Amino acid sequence: MKRRTFLQLAAGAALAGTGSLGFQPARAAGKDIVYLTPGLDLPFWRYLAKGVESAAKAKGYGFQALDSHNSPQTQLQNAQDSIAKGVAGIVISPTDSSTAPSVLALAAKAGIPVVIGDIGTNSGDYASFIISNNYDGAKGVGEALAAALKAKGWEGGSVGLITISQARKNGQARTKGFRDGLAAGGWTGKEAGLQQMQSYTTDETFKFTQDMLTANPDMRGLFIQTDQPALGALRAIKAARRGSDLLVAAFDGIPEFVDLLKSKQIVASGMQQPYLMGQKSGEALLAKLAGGTVEKEVSVPILVVTSENIDKELPIVKETVFANEMK
């Protein structure tokens, strides 16, 4: 009991202070918007957080980003602490779709509105769901990779997948979309295997890629379903001296991708627009708090950025994907 009390006090003190990203403290109880995120070590969630922050501050709300570190238990604890503090509303990007209902149930009981920013939920009540069209985006990536393979005469080579959790609805959509895109693009090879990320690190993806290359010497393509871990795959490909005979496709985007696309080390990436998603998530929550009508689901387009169109797409990518962090 004493430990529980200590944890509540400690979490409450942390919540009242500066956020994980250096955001300003809440101005008053009930005037704080909290964003529960899977992991701020991934740029995607940091960009989305900045979008929520911009919408909150535009309406005079304080903002706090709480990192779940990809742990359902930490996510639930963060939600409990936020609700106990009396925040005005919550935006959540769940650790996966099966962990969201417990948070939604707690918030509903407390009368605190929740907007889901990406990933989704298996059940529960929420004000709005802001989601990218993951299927279409991944399908476009699959088609682009198939075209690049065909241009090399490698359409019969195997293709590996390193995916985000397939317990997430967006992960399921990316996998299906990519497979359908490959088929639509005329790829005739076999799948070299599928590995699901757990820690979402470059080291994890490095190891997955090493294993796939060893088991599939004929592998000609690789799809990594999120941004920063793709750098680990490229490192493994370089170490194996396979850079000249294997094509890489990715998802999401980080500034490093710009030069990698231009040099064709990555042939295509389906870039979600996390800053824009964060803005729309925050705006939906604030509209709900103001008593307005909120769309139950808002779909944000995905930019399929390739080695051929990167220069044309770069101005919008800098703003809506990279949250203006890239000069």
Side-chain angles (χ1 to χ4, degrees):
M1 187 67 180
K2 287 182 179 179
R3 183 174 182 272
R4 169 67 180 164
T5 303
F6 172 77
L7 286 173
Q8 287 178 321
L9 290 172
L15 190 56
T18 301
S20 301
L21 300 178
F23 300 120
Q24 295 301 311
R27 301 179 183 184
K31 285 290 286 181
D32 199 10
I33 300 299
V34 167
Y35 172 51
L36 307 180
T37 175
L40 290 170
D41 54 326
L42 279 182
F44 181 88
W45 301 122
R46 188 174 74 248
Y47 299 150
L48 199 150
K50 286 192 169 187
V52 178
E53 181 200 17
S54 70
K57 287 189 172 179
K59 293 294 185 181
Y61 282 81
F63 178 77
Q64 189 79 25
L66 298 179
D67 194 332
S68 299
H69 301 288
N70 290 302
S71 164
Q73 292 78 17
T74 304
Q75 176 180 267
L76 188 61
Q77 183 67 59
N78 286 339
Q80 289 170 333
D81 294 335
S82 301
I83 290 166
K85 184 176 179 288
V87 297
I90 295 171
V91 175
I92 181 173
S93 300
T95 57
D96 65 50
S97 302
S98 66
T99 68
S102 57
V103 173
L104 296 176
L106 286 174
K109 186 176 180 179
I112 295 175
V114 179
V115 167
I116 301 174
D118 202 31
I119 294 180
T121 183
N122 289 343
S123 62
D125 186 31
Y126 54 88
S128 187
F129 177 30
I130 314 301
I131 184 68
S132 295
N133 194 325
N134 285 277
Y135 175 84
D136 281 356
K139 187 172 186 288
V141 172
E143 289 170 344
L145 181 59
L149 289 168
K150 193 171 184 179
K152 293 276 192 181
W154 298 343
E155 59 266 36
S158 63
V159 173
L161 286 80
I162 299 177
T163 74
I164 62 175
S165 169
Q166 296 299 287
R168 297 179 177 181
K169 291 185 180 298
N170 60 341
Q172 297 165 18
R174 287 180 202 178
T175 298
K176 179 169 174 45
F178 178 71
R179 286 169 170 164
D180 288 352
L182 280 177
W187 174 70
T188 59
K190 65 180 180 67
E191 199 164 286
L194 183 152
Q195 294 281 356
Q196 295 183 60
M197 297 178 222
Q198 296 181 12
S199 63
Y200 296 84
T201 64
T202 56
D203 286 345
E204 178 185 53
T205 310
F206 178 88
K207 181 64 166 60
F208 285 157
T209 304
Q210 274 191 325
D211 292 345
M212 281 191 181
L213 290 172
T214 301
N216 301 276
D218 69 332
M219 190 166 76
R220 294 296 191 182
L222 181 63
F223 177 44
I224 303 97
Q225 283 189 359
T226 191
D227 44 32
Q228 193 159 290
L231 302 180
L234 292 173
R235 185 158 50 92
I237 290 166
K238 183 177 180 180
R241 298 181 181 179
R242 292 289 308 276
S244 62
D245 63 3
L246 192 147
L247 302 179
V248 175
F251 212 82
D252 296 331
I254 49 178
E256 291 92 331
F257 276 17
V258 174
D259 287 341
L260 291 171
L261 284 160
K262 288 182 177 181
S263 65
K264 299 187 178 181
Q265 293 179 68
I266 294 176
V267 298
S269 186
M271 293 190 184
Q272 296 188 84
Q273 303 182 75
Y275 184 75
L276 180 60
M277 292 176 71
Q279 283 185 315
K280 288 186 175 295
S281 297
E283 289 166 358
L285 182 59
L286 294 166
K288 180 68 174 179
L289 289 168
T293 302
V294 180
E295 289 185 64
K296 195 67 175 177
E297 184 168 321
V298 176
S299 180
V300 178
I302 288 176
L303 308 174
V304 179
V305 183
T306 68
S307 298
E308 283 69 38
N309 70 11
I310 177 61
D311 289 324
K312 178 183 176 182
E313 297 288 350
L314 192 54
I316 189 68
V317 165
K318 285 182 176 181
E319 180 182 354
T320 65
V321 179
F322 300 147
N324 295 310
E325 284 191 358
M326 181 182 178
K327 303 302 182 184

